[in-house]
Amino acid sequence: MADKSHPHTAPPVYVVGGGPGGLATAAALGERGIRTVVLERSDAVGASWRGRYDQLRLHTTRRLSALPGLSIPRSCGRWVGRDDLVRYLERYADHHELDVVTGVEVSRVERPEDGTGWLLHATGGRRLTAPAVVVATGFNHTPRLPDWPGGDGFTGELLHAAHYRNPEHYRDRDVLVVGAGSTGTEIAVELARGGAARVRLAVRTVPHIVRRSTAGCSAQRAGVLARRLPRRAVDRAARTVTRVTVPDLSGHGLPRPRTGLYTRALEGALPVQDTGLLAAVRAGRVEIVPAVESLDGEKVVLADGSRVCPDAVIAATGYRSALDRLVGHLGVLDERGRPLAHGPRTVGSAPGLHFTGFTNPVSGTLRELAIDAQRIARTLARHLDRTRPAPR
């Protein structure tokens, strides 16, 4: 039952972003009777998921991907697809009766003149005041396309993976996919299956590749366990498991990484779950090539000096959190533009300003968003109690 100790006549806590992290946090705050408004710049919740490629499926299991207070239906299967996840997020907002305002983008968060609470500058000249703010705009906010030399003169088709939908457009075409993370490898496999004439995958740093499930245990379950064990022990165990379960593809351009799997994950590079890449590379349907160095007219120059001439280049080169304009002036970001404090923790100079969804944990992003939501709600409840004006 919700704690109604915080009257709904009080100014609301604003949650910036209507993705899973924002919705989960709003629900957790609502359960504590804290009036909360979610501000979403698009016209619906879960916008970042709506725009992903058609065949996307979570790398985390259905049971470990649910947000607080509502399970994902069993009909969605063990590995939830994009459309099912979007429908779940819509139902989640309805189930918890969340106050979601769409079409409102927050451009800046700052301290008001009296130094208490927060002032948000939003679409249409809105100036919104709040005792606390949760920024949940997400890790994958703004597509990052490398500034390759010669890019302006490239005559082939060039797009970021954020704008890729399905392989139909690339049937019978020569495609170069850049980036060997989960998105890049999955798109490459999908293109090969979908009738592309030739698919090459440009790799700068060879990823760790793991089976999605081994002996019935999902890779995510192993990731949850890994967070409780010493790094070196996890690296050793992962090395043994992958040698048994993953073939050596050194002859195909994918040697086993020298850096340990968990060590790499702690640096931000999660292992790639195999959804067909291993078989596609062994069969020659996906060719591994060196990283892209520059573009030259219709050609792409690779790190070994060779040149290829694809019809299209799909850059699976990641995203930027794009927090600089929003909160960069507050001293709450590190040199990479990521929050110095995350989840329930805050920077000392910015009490009541929380961030969620800006990490890439090996235990699963949605699982950690759910945990963060509960922790943020507990912390903010205490913060609001301390800062609430005493009755006269």
Side-chain angles (χ1 to χ4, degrees):
M1 181 174 294
D3 175 3
K4 302 300 182 182
S5 60
H6 297 277
H8 278 214
T9 55
V13 170
Y14 283 108
V15 175
V16 184
L23 298 181
T25 303
L29 289 167
E31 283 297 307
R32 291 177 175 271
I34 299 173
R35 183 184 170 205
T36 307
V37 176
V38 178
L39 302 176
E40 168 55 45
R41 64 174 180 169
S42 73
D43 60 357
V45 300
S48 62
W49 290 97
R50 294 173 189 272
R52 305 298 289 275
Y53 50 97
D54 296 346
Q55 298 303 311
L56 173 69
R57 288 191 173 275
L58 295 181
H59 294 158
T60 54
T61 64
R62 173 180 54 83
R63 289 185 177 181
L64 294 182
S65 299
L67 303 179
L70 184 67
S71 60
I72 300 176
R74 293 186 64 181
S75 59
C76 294
R78 192 181 191 194
W79 312 104
V80 181
R82 180 199 66 180
D83 293 344
D84 282 334
L85 180 64
V86 169
R87 284 190 287 268
Y88 168 72
L89 295 177
E90 292 172 341
R91 194 157 67 91
Y92 189 85
D94 290 340
H95 176 80
H96 289 286
E97 300 180 341
L98 302 183
D99 188 354
V100 180
V101 181
T102 59
V104 175
E105 181 173 9
V106 178
S107 58
R108 186 177 175 89
V109 177
E110 62 185 17
R111 283 291 210 181
E113 291 183 0
D114 63 7
T116 60
W118 296 95
L119 174 65
L120 291 75
H121 297 266
T123 303
R126 294 178 176 86
R127 291 166 62 88
L128 309 171
T129 58
V133 176
V134 180
V135 178
T137 50
F139 194 79
N140 297 335
H141 183 273
T142 303
R144 183 180 65 82
L145 193 64
D147 186 19
W148 286 307
D152 292 341
F154 183 61
T155 58
E157 180 181 346
L158 173 62
L159 71 155
H160 190 275
H163 306 296
Y164 168 85
R165 292 296 173 266
N166 58 64
E168 183 60 32
H169 176 66
Y170 304 95
R171 186 178 296 276
D172 299 322
R173 301 179 71 193
D174 184 327
V175 187
L176 173 66
V177 181
V178 183
S182 294
T183 298
T185 56
E186 289 187 6
I187 289 176
V189 171
E190 185 174 280
L191 288 167
R193 290 172 175 168
R198 186 175 189 178
V199 180
R200 282 173 283 212
L201 179 64
V203 178
R204 184 174 298 279
T205 303
V206 178
H208 283 276
I209 303 173
V210 299
R211 298 291 186 182
R212 175 168 281 186
S213 182
T214 302
C217 179
S218 69
Q220 182 188 11
R221 286 281 186 189
V224 172
L225 177 61
R227 299 191 69 175
R228 303 171 184 173
L229 298 174
R231 174 182 56 81
R232 291 183 179 179
V234 177
D235 282 346
R236 286 195 299 269
R239 188 176 301 114
T240 299
V241 171
T242 54
R243 281 178 178 171
V244 173
T245 61
V246 176
D248 184 1
L249 297 178
S250 299
H252 297 275
L254 283 178
R256 299 189 190 278
R258 295 184 177 181
T259 307
L261 183 151
Y262 193 43
T263 296
R264 183 84 66 81
L266 292 175
E267 295 171 353
L270 294 184
V272 169
Q273 293 186 20
D274 178 41
T275 58
L277 178 68
L278 298 174
V281 170
R282 294 178 79 179
R285 296 193 301 272
V286 173
E287 304 169 44
I288 305 300
V289 298
V292 172
E293 290 296 311
S294 63
L295 306 178
D296 183 11
E298 63 179 6
K299 298 183 183 298
V300 177
V301 182
L302 303 178
D304 64 354
S306 63
R307 294 167 181 257
V308 297
C309 189
D311 299 313
V313 176
I314 301 176
T317 47
Y319 295 79
R320 294 182 294 106
S321 59
L323 289 173
D324 289 339
R325 187 168 67 101
L326 185 68
V327 296
H329 54 287
L330 296 173
V332 294
L333 304 179
D334 64 17
E335 65 279 0
R336 297 180 299 172
R338 297 180 181 180
L340 289 168
H342 194 270
R345 296 181 296 110
T346 61
V347 174
S349 60
L353 178 62
H354 293 262
F355 296 86
T356 186
F358 295 93
T359 60
N360 200 16
V362 70
S363 51
T365 298
L366 291 174
R367 176 182 182 272
E368 296 305 321
L369 287 176
I371 294 172
D372 269 353
Q374 303 284 16
R375 291 173 174 171
I376 290 172
R378 286 196 296 269
T379 300
L380 273 182
R382 292 193 295 267
H383 172 76
L384 296 175
D385 281 338
R386 289 196 302 268
T387 57
R388 184 192 305 159
R392 295 182 179 180

